Amino acid sequence: MRAVDLIQKKRDGKELSTQEIEWLISNYAKGDVPDYQMSAFAMAVYFKGMSTRETRDLTMSMVATGDQIDLSAISGVKTDKHSTGGVGDKVTLILAPLVASFGVPVAKMSGRGLGHTGGTLDKLESIKGYNINISQEDFIKQVQDIGLSVIGQSDQLVKADKLLYALRDVTATVDIIPLIASSVMSKKIAAGADSILLDVTVGDGAFMKTLEDAEKLSRLMVDLGKEVGRKTIAVITDMSQPVGQAIGNRLEVLEAIQIMQGKGRADVTDFICELGQQMLELAGVSKSLDDIKDHLVSGQALKKFEEMIISQGGDLDDLYRPVNVSHKVEIFAKDSGYVSEIPALEFGLFAMKLGAGRAVKTDPLDYETGIVFDKKVGDKVTSGDRIAVIYSNQELCQNVITEFEKNVKIGVEQIAPKEILEIIY
Ligand code: URA
């Protein structure tokens, strides 16, 4: 077989066979198919798509390019979750310990942020000492002992995704359904959990811009998970505005702690409890939302979170330390009415420029910087109310502040935002 023939076949809109896909992916992972041919292939898929059968073959071929983690030594239904990416998305920091605090083991491998989106690993690494690189044996032992571990994805897992994702990132081929589905599901399948909750984000700050596309991606990933015997559901969630109040690594950890202390905003607290209910249900544990919320605000999830931080070398004193920045800029409303828009993409990029995110993979991060919103979409504001605080380690010129103010839109009608738009079973 030759890569050029497979690229041409896809370019001409034809379906590749199982053997052809296996050949292409295994040879790419071995280094025998070069990046320039794989880039051309990704672009051909971008324009011509893939059938469900091709996407399944692509996913399983990718799984075969690395190790598969055996979690069978851990008793109970092992759970995992994955978000397709967003702004201010600190959900894992709360949801994972919440579910684990009900006795359901959570063994999770997370990723880093890129561009306007954040990554759980970066947020955890903003806690002094937290080690995301523990060995597979220690990962399994920790889940056996305390029911929870969040680590970085092992280099030995789904090698093809590591290579292909980096390539897609620089060739404008990330936001295409079959490539996202195979990337996410190959990692989830290889990571070994019995049940998987997929948080499929939709809106301005997400890869999926429309509900219709988010539904298609969800259906595909749920079916892929079920076909290999994993209980899988997708929760389609709104990413038109940031999740919760904070954007920025340490600021998001602090917001997560507040939520686990029962001091978070009601909307984000309720949203995470609803996700918790779904994740517990997948593991065969039925709980009412009231029970889950009582459990969360009584500090059980925080206790589990602290156990994980200690077990992975993190410093508990540092965990509770406020952020340390040279400049805090308060932003005040110029009009009265209701907040109608806080575009996730704009503010994700704004936080990235403060140093909270990376424009390219090699960029260093400033864990301390970011934004905390006092007001969110649907909130009433009166001219002069504080709507946000910017945490920066550089002086911000007036233009930047004016741009920030303009991006928080205030209207006359009250919008009632919904965090969960749909659940695909
Ligand atoms: N998250 C992933 O892991 N892969 C994608 O392709 C997009 C989001």
Side-chain angles (χ1 to χ4, degrees), residues 103-262:
V104 171
V106 181
K108 168 137 181 63
M109 292 189 175
S110 285
R112 295 197 182 282
L114 191 63
H116 69 280
T117 64
T120 301
L121 285 191
D122 299 323
K123 299 174 216 273
L124 287 169
E125 280 193 326
S126 75
I127 304 159
K128 195 167 144 201
Y130 189 89
N131 184 7
I132 56 131
N133 285 321
I134 61 176
S135 68
Q136 221 177 91
E137 297 81 70
D138 288 347
F139 173 61
I140 291 172
K141 178 157 190 327
Q142 185 174 314
V143 182
Q144 281 170 328
D145 292 346
I146 66 166
L148 171 67
S149 182
V150 181
I151 63 167
Q153 190 187 310
S154 143
D155 282 343
Q156 302 311 312
L157 209 77
V158 199
K159 287 187 191 156
D161 182 61
K162 276 218 143 128
L163 299 167
L164 188 55
Y165 195 81
L167 204 59
R168 288 166 58 208
D169 192 42
V170 292
T171 56
T173 50
V174 171
D175 49 343
I176 171 77
I177 289 173
L179 298 187
I180 296 178
S182 54
S183 164
V184 170
M185 292 312 292
S186 59
K187 285 180 288 206
K188 293 295 104 180
I189 292 167
D194 308 304
S195 72
I196 305 162
L197 179 134
L198 300 164
D199 178 352
V200 177
T201 52
V202 60
D204 167 69
F207 291 126
M208 296 295 105
K209 304 294 181 203
T210 65
L211 185 60
E212 197 188 344
D213 278 349
E215 284 169 344
K216 276 191 207 151
L217 176 62
S218 300
R219 179 80 273 148
L220 191 55
M221 293 198 293
V222 168
D223 289 348
L224 283 169
K226 284 185 186 164
E227 274 174 32
V228 289
R230 313 294 169 89
K231 289 185 184 168
T232 312
I233 64 162
V235 182
I236 301 179
T237 64
D238 176 49
M239 194 51 72
S240 59
Q241 65 167 338
V243 178
Q245 294 179 267
I247 310 175
N249 299 289
R250 177 153 204 93
L251 290 166
E252 290 187 44
V253 169
L254 292 175
E255 186 186 0
I257 291 171
Q258 272 181 1
I259 294 168
M260 289 187 277
Q261 288 170 331

Side-chain angles (χ1 to χ4, degrees), residues 326-389:
S326 57
H327 295 79
K328 285 186 201 165
V329 180
E330 295 179 298
I331 304 290
F332 297 96
K334 294 264 189 289
D335 301 305
S336 299
Y338 296 96
V339 178
S340 59
E341 250 182 82
I342 302 183
L345 177 61
E346 297 294 341
F347 288 108
L349 291 172
F350 190 97
M352 184 189 89
K353 287 182 201 144
L354 294 172
R358 304 179 181 85
V360 291
K361 272 207 159 97
T362 46
D363 281 348
L365 288 181
D366 184 340
Y367 292 131
E368 309 290 310
T369 57
I371 309 164
V372 176
F373 291 95
D374 298 296
K375 304 285 180 188
K376 294 288 306 285
V377 172
D379 287 359
K380 192 172 188 332
V381 277
T382 305
S383 172
D385 282 354
R386 196 176 77 178
I387 45 180
V389 181

Side-chain angles (χ1 to χ4, degrees), residues 17-129:
S17 70
T18 303
Q19 293 72 20
E20 285 169 333
I21 291 172
E22 278 169 3
W23 182 89
L24 187 67
I25 296 301
S26 62
N27 282 290
Y28 177 57
K30 276 191 255 161
D32 293 342
V33 169
D35 275 351
Y36 53 82
Q37 285 190 307
M38 207 57 195
S39 306
F41 178 74
M43 193 56 86
V45 172
Y46 187 91
F47 285 111
K48 300 295 174 173
M50 275 188 151
S51 67
T52 304
R53 198 268 310 145
E54 282 177 299
T55 309
R56 186 191 318 121
D57 290 340
L58 179 62
T59 307
M60 296 319 288
S61 303
M62 285 169 65
V63 172
T65 62
D67 292 348
Q68 293 199 49
I69 301 197
D70 179 4
L71 298 177
S72 59
I74 303 165
S75 51
V77 181
K78 279 75 69 181
T79 58
D80 194 355
K81 63 94 48 179
H82 189 93
S83 158
T84 54
V87 179
D89 186 349
K90 70 276 300 168
V91 170
T92 294
L93 299 180
I94 308 146
L95 185 60
L98 174 64
V99 169
S101 69
F102 279 97
V104 171
V106 181
K108 168 137 181 63
M109 292 189 175
S110 285
R112 295 197 182 282
L114 191 63
H116 69 280
T117 64
T120 301
L121 285 191
D122 299 323
K123 299 174 216 273
L124 287 169
E125 280 193 326
S126 75
I127 304 159
K128 195 167 144 201

Side-chain angles (χ1 to χ4, degrees), residues 95 98 102 266-281 285-297 420 423:
L95 185 60
L98 174 64
F102 279 97
D267 49 9
V268 64
T269 305
D270 290 348
F271 165 52
I272 289 169
C273 288
E274 282 175 56
L275 290 178
Q277 189 181 37
Q278 294 296 330
M279 211 162 149
L280 287 168
E281 192 73 50
V285 177
S286 276
K287 292 281 169 195
S288 73
L289 273 179
D290 285 344
D291 281 352
I292 295 172
K293 199 162 167 183
D294 286 349
H295 196 85
L296 177 74
V297 301
I420 295 183
I423 301 180

